[in-house]
Amino acid sequence: VGELFQLFRDGRPRTKAELAEVTGLARSTISLRTDALVGLGLLRRAGEAISSGGRPPSMLVFDPSARVVIGCDLGAEHGRVVLADLGARILAMSESALEIASGPRSVLGWVQSTALSLLGEQGIPVERVAGIGIGLPGPVEHATGRPIKPPLMPGWDGFDVVRYFEGVFPAPVLVDNDVNLLALGERAGALPAVSDLVFVKVSTGVGAGIISGGVLQRGAQGAAGDIGHVIPPRSAGTERPADDERDLEALSSGPAVAEVLRAEGLVDDATTGELVRLLVAGNRRAAALTRQAGREIGAVLSTVVSVLNPSVIVVGGSIARAGEDLLAGIREVVYRRSVPLATQRLQILPSIGGEFAGALGAATMIIERVLSESSVDESAAAVGAREVAVDRQPAAVGR
Amino acid sequence: VGELFQLFRDGRPRTKAELAEVTGLARSTISLRTDALVGLGLLRRAGEAISSGGRPPSMLVFDPSARVVIGCDLGAEHGRVVLADLGARILAMSESALEIASGPRSVLGWVQSTALSLLGEQGIPVERVAGIGIGLPGPVEHATGRPIKPPLMPGWDGFDVVRYFEGVFPAPVLVDNDVNLLALGERAGALPAVSDLVFVKVSTGVGAGIISGGVLQRGAQGAAGDIGHVIPPRSAGTERPADDERDLEALSSGPAVAEVLRAEGLVDDATTGELVRLLVAGNRRAAALTRQAGREIGAVLSTVVSVLNPSVIVVGGSIARAGEDLLAGIREVVYRRSVPLATQRLQILPSIGGEFAGALGAATMIIERVLSESSVDESAAAVGAREVAVDRQPAAVGR
């Protein structure tokens, strides 16, 4: 069933006769499977094909508006939710300032009520939700959806996010870290042809999402992309003492740079927001420190480039959006230090995704899952089992 | 056709009725496709199933001995060739000392004549060769099979290895760098369940083969895994000066370590062979320098671990085989420096592949290609086109 459905994902309508010819499946098999897909709402009948005589054969087509998904991006101090159709078209969105540190029940409660009110506004019943994708600002064991010792998220360690939503939405839930979802969203939105991409987010933390060979790489425990805890090699531009063993996040995150500005009396609080404010205002000291932070990030990325040979590095997060300085520092060191073959055609670009890129990435993740071959097969089997149960009941009673 | 064939790769015999039931394909389709697979030699008829009355239905089974592949590993100073069946069982092997620097025509000429004599000894006609896999000691553009500015291989830059074999063997040729093939071979032989593996080879050069998400990662230009040209961060155990910008290969390769031994009068030539000789003899200075080389390698691998979160790092090459020192240095730094979540379940193991591991990896690479769905489809289409051409000829003559 799932395999047959994959043919329809290009959006072109097809007749059953055409499907039988392309797949070699028996006509009876085609009818059974397309009926199941129509039952799931994934296919709908669309007009009629030109007949070669006799009753005109009906056409079937993928219906991306049949179901919706919820994509959610949770940051240290914000939450964003989008409602999208199966074609990743955003139907509605909402955002709010919130503290991830207030704990999972409070934060996920906001996600739930926000998703329900977006559905209500659009007049979409909960049953049409095909899945929920959630991005969290910390390490997540993707297979189980549980955060693992996330430093910015007290109270979340090991929390069962999937189970939390089970009673509310009868649909699959997938959880991942925010940077992985930004990588997925950036590729879906701007770089669909790129198979080897590294997305770097520089904000309150520093992390990377890695797409290699066309696939998001999570690693054995879901910890892949954690460049923030790498100790960068000293690069020529650096004046750090030789015994400085601070990691990349301690050197280059928003709060780390802002702390230098605070110590120099340029800002009151060592926050990413304050740094961004100075950068936007054109402050030279903030620009120079940000460029130096970019060099440290570039020193780590030059190893990533030699190891993975990506064709594009995308730099996102509020500091990159506030000016050219971060990107300039990264480019300076990556192009100087990496292996020539690996940098020859390497592009280092700013992210074009806006503030809802993470939520859209979360929606993309769950759409890919829901529309995958095996997932469609499972849903069809579940619907089939229900129908069989209903069919059998009267017969059993009749005996 | 290819898809149907994938069902048989587990080695279990099946009847056509069973295939129709499992796939939903029409009986006529099943017959057409299995006939094509029998024609390709990939399936053979095997005994008879227990009949439920009437003529007993015949069973079909995958026949790994129907075709052979050639796997070849070329190093700086050696060549090794294996002849294997489609189940990666080695039928015959051969090795020779040769200089890769003597150029592609001379070296590939040796490969060709060696392969032909192995085939001759086994009484296998050239037509039964299903493919040739070749590993080279330098960067290779995998899509075209051309070496790209390989430092140890004068005369090879851009050489069309695939085309060289075209006239001799009517079969596909795939080329990759030796470390990628060691990674494939190690996984196939020892770690089939591992999806995230980094294979590090330390010998005349230092390089890595990376398997992430179950797939060998080559990167955008085939340069992935080039850890030898990364400048390692200084680690606590190091006493290098702060302005030392030597790369990993310059610090930790066999010749680099042997050069220190040569300067101290302990060996005459700065070669990997001399270092290995001292290590095997239990020389303490050689052991200490090798351990320090392991620490430098570990410093780079700790970034690789944070970025990719592998579950296993395998260390191969002659220096690792000569004793525990290299592995001890690597382990010391990787476990100290990497992110805890990424090292919690990380294993760092010596390679168990022997001297023919690279050639077997090359055979594995070509077997995977030859038996892949799309490749079987192509072969079937080619055979089908030939048969159609033959069928039509008499008819045309008859008109």
Side-chain angles (χ1 to χ4, degrees):
Chain A
V1 179
E3 198 185 316
L4 193 68
F5 171 68
Q6 300 308 313
L7 291 176
F8 284 94
R9 289 191 63 184
D10 63 3
R12 196 167 68 76
R14 287 170 171 83
T15 64
K16 290 185 188 176
E18 199 181 335
L19 292 171
E21 200 181 307
V22 171
T23 61
L25 290 169
R27 287 298 285 267
S28 56
T29 312
I30 296 279
S31 284
L32 269 174
R33 294 187 185 177
T34 54
D35 286 356
L37 290 166
V38 171
L40 285 173
L42 291 175
L43 293 187
R44 61 180 169 79
R45 293 177 226 286
E48 288 171 348
I50 293 155
S51 168
S52 54
R55 197 161 61 93
S58 69
M59 307 284 280
L60 292 160
V61 67
F62 171 41
D63 184 2
S65 69
R67 308 287 301 273
V68 295
V69 296
I70 293 160
C72 173
D73 164 39
L74 296 169
E77 298 175 346
H78 72 259
R80 296 192 181 98
V81 176
V82 298
L83 191 66
D85 71 12
L86 296 179
R89 199 166 55 93
I90 294 180
L91 306 172
M93 53 174 86
S94 181
E95 69 180 314
S96 174
L98 56 79
E99 297 288 330
I100 196 90
S102 62
R105 286 175 200 285
S106 146
V107 170
L108 297 176
W110 174 83
V111 172
Q112 182 187 318
S113 62
T114 305
L116 288 173
S117 61
L118 290 178
L119 287 166
E121 285 163 23
Q122 301 288 313
I124 297 170
V126 166
E127 292 70 35
R128 276 180 58 206
V129 174
I132 302 149
I134 294 178
L136 296 175
V140 173
E141 193 176 62
H142 181 67
T144 64
R146 293 169 188 265
I148 303 167
K149 301 195 174 54
L152 305 172
M153 301 166 62
W156 286 79
D157 186 20
F159 187 84
D160 194 337
V161 177
V162 175
R163 192 157 179 192
Y164 179 89
F165 285 102
E166 243 169 25
V168 192
F169 301 103
V173 179
L174 290 182
V175 191
D176 208 332
N177 81 63
D178 55 351
V179 193
N180 283 351
L181 298 181
L182 286 169
L184 284 180
E186 188 82 20
R187 190 176 55 152
L191 302 159
V194 173
S195 317
D196 298 277
L197 176 153
V198 174
F199 189 102
V200 183
K201 183 187 175 188
V202 186
S203 179
T204 307
V206 179
I210 291 162
I211 295 174
S212 270
V215 177
L216 183 71
Q217 301 298 337
R218 296 187 170 93
Q221 276 84 42
D226 190 357
I227 59 170
H229 297 98
V230 170
I231 302 165
R234 282 167 317 98
S235 65
T238 325
E239 283 148 45
R240 283 189 282 133
D243 59 350
D244 184 345
E245 290 230 340
R246 282 179 293 169
D247 67 17
L248 188 58
E249 207 158 275
L251 287 163
S252 305
S253 68
V257 175
E259 173 56 29
V260 179
L261 295 169
R262 198 201 54 76
E264 295 175 2
L266 289 164
V267 297
D268 292 334
D269 294 314
T271 63
T272 306
E274 288 290 272
L275 169 62
V276 167
R277 193 176 57 75
L278 284 194
L279 286 172
V280 171
N283 181 287
R284 286 204 172 183
R285 181 65 180 148
L289 289 171
T290 300
R291 188 174 179 123
Q292 183 52 35
R295 289 191 191 104
E296 301 287 4
I297 295 166
V300 173
L301 288 178
S302 72
T303 301
V304 174
V305 165
S306 300
V307 170
L308 289 172
N309 183 203
S311 55
V312 182
I313 292 175
V314 179
V315 185
S318 54
I319 300 170
R321 279 198 296 270
E324 281 290 301
D325 310 296
L326 188 76
L327 207 66
I330 291 174
R331 283 181 171 144
E332 181 187 321
V333 176
V334 170
Y335 286 120
R336 184 163 55 78
R337 281 186 77 124
S338 309
V339 184
L341 178 60
T343 51
Q344 211 174 325
R345 286 179 243 172
L346 174 70
Q347 291 186 287
I348 304 178
L349 306 170
S351 166
I352 63 148
E355 295 207 319
F356 278 86
L360 189 58
T364 307
M365 167 177 69
I366 195 76
I367 290 169
E368 278 308 307
R369 164 71 159 268
V370 167
L371 299 188
S372 72
E373 199 176 312
S374 58
S375 180
V376 171
D377 281 337
E378 275 170 37
S379 309
V383 170
R386 267 207 305 280
E387 279 169 5
V388 167
V390 172
D391 283 358
R392 279 188 185 159
Q393 222 167 358
V397 170
R399 258 173 219 164
Chain B
V1 177
E3 198 185 318
L4 193 68
F5 171 67
Q6 300 308 313
L7 291 176
F8 285 95
R9 290 191 63 184
D10 64 3
R12 195 167 69 75
R14 286 171 172 82
T15 64
K16 289 185 190 178
E18 200 182 334
L19 292 170
E21 199 180 305
V22 171
T23 61
L25 290 169
R27 287 297 285 267
S28 56
T29 312
I30 296 277
S31 284
L32 268 174
R33 294 187 186 176
T34 53
D35 286 355
L37 290 166
V38 171
L40 287 172
L42 292 176
L43 293 188
R44 62 180 169 77
R45 292 175 228 285
E48 288 173 349
I50 294 155
S51 168
S52 54
R55 195 162 61 94
S58 69
M59 306 284 281
L60 292 160
V61 67
F62 170 42
D63 185 2
S65 70
R67 308 287 299 274
V68 295
V69 296
I70 294 160
C72 173
D73 164 39
L74 296 169
E77 297 176 345
H78 72 259
R80 296 191 181 98
V81 176
V82 298
L83 192 65
D85 71 12
L86 297 179
R89 197 166 57 92
I90 293 181
L91 306 172
M93 54 173 87
S94 180
E95 70 178 313
S96 174
L98 56 79
E99 297 288 330
I100 196 89
S102 64
R105 284 175 201 286
S106 145
V107 171
L108 297 178
W110 174 84
V111 172
Q112 182 186 318
S113 62
T114 305
L116 287 173
S117 62
L118 289 178
L119 287 166
E121 284 163 22
Q122 300 289 314
I124 296 170
V126 166
E127 292 70 34
R128 275 180 59 206
V129 174
I132 301 148
I134 294 176
L136 296 175
V140 172
E141 191 177 63
H142 182 67
T144 64
R146 293 168 188 267
I148 303 167
K149 302 196 173 54
L152 305 173
M153 302 167 61
W156 286 79
D157 187 19
F159 187 84
D160 194 338
V161 177
V162 174
R163 190 155 178 194
Y164 179 90
F165 285 102
E166 242 168 26
V168 192
F169 301 102
V173 180
L174 289 183
V175 190
D176 208 332
N177 80 64
D178 56 352
V179 194
N180 283 351
L181 298 181
L182 287 170
L184 284 180
E186 188 81 20
R187 188 175 56 151
L191 302 159
V194 173
S195 318
D196 298 276
L197 176 152
V198 174
F199 189 101
V200 182
K201 183 187 176 188
V202 186
S203 178
T204 307
V206 179
I210 290 162
I211 295 174
S212 270
V215 177
L216 183 71
Q217 300 298 336
R218 297 188 170 94
Q221 276 84 41
D226 189 358
I227 61 170
H229 296 98
V230 170
I231 302 165
R234 281 166 317 97
S235 64
T238 324
E239 283 150 44
R240 283 189 283 133
D243 59 350
D244 184 345
E245 290 231 337
R246 281 179 294 169
D247 67 19
L248 188 58
E249 207 158 276
L251 287 163
S252 305
S253 68
V257 175
E259 173 56 30
V260 178
L261 294 169
R262 198 200 55 77
E264 294 175 1
L266 289 163
V267 298
D268 291 334
D269 294 313
T271 63
T272 306
E274 287 291 273
L275 169 61
V276 166
R277 193 176 56 75
L278 284 197
L279 286 173
V280 171
N283 180 287
R284 288 204 172 183
R285 181 63 180 150
L289 288 171
T290 299
R291 190 174 177 122
Q292 183 53 35
R295 290 192 192 103
E296 301 286 6
I297 295 165
V300 173
L301 287 179
S302 71
T303 301
V304 175
V305 165
S306 300
V307 170
L308 289 172
N309 183 204
S311 55
V312 182
I313 292 176
V314 179
V315 185
S318 53
I319 300 170
R321 279 198 296 270
E324 281 289 304
D325 309 295
L326 189 75
L327 208 64
I330 292 174
R331 284 181 170 143
E332 181 186 322
V333 177
V334 170
Y335 286 119
R336 184 163 55 77
R337 283 186 75 123
S338 306
V339 184
L341 177 59
T343 51
Q344 211 173 326
R345 285 180 245 172
L346 175 70
Q347 291 185 286
I348 304 179
L349 306 170
S351 167
I352 62 149
E355 294 207 321
F356 278 85
L360 189 59
T364 308
M365 167 176 69
I366 195 78
I367 290 168
E368 279 307 307
R369 165 69 160 269
V370 167
L371 299 187
S372 71
E373 198 176 313
S374 58
S375 181
V376 171
D377 281 337
E378 276 169 38
S379 309
V383 170
R386 269 209 302 282
E387 279 170 5
V388 167
V390 171
D391 282 358
R392 282 190 183 156
Q393 223 168 357
V397 170
R399 259 173 217 164

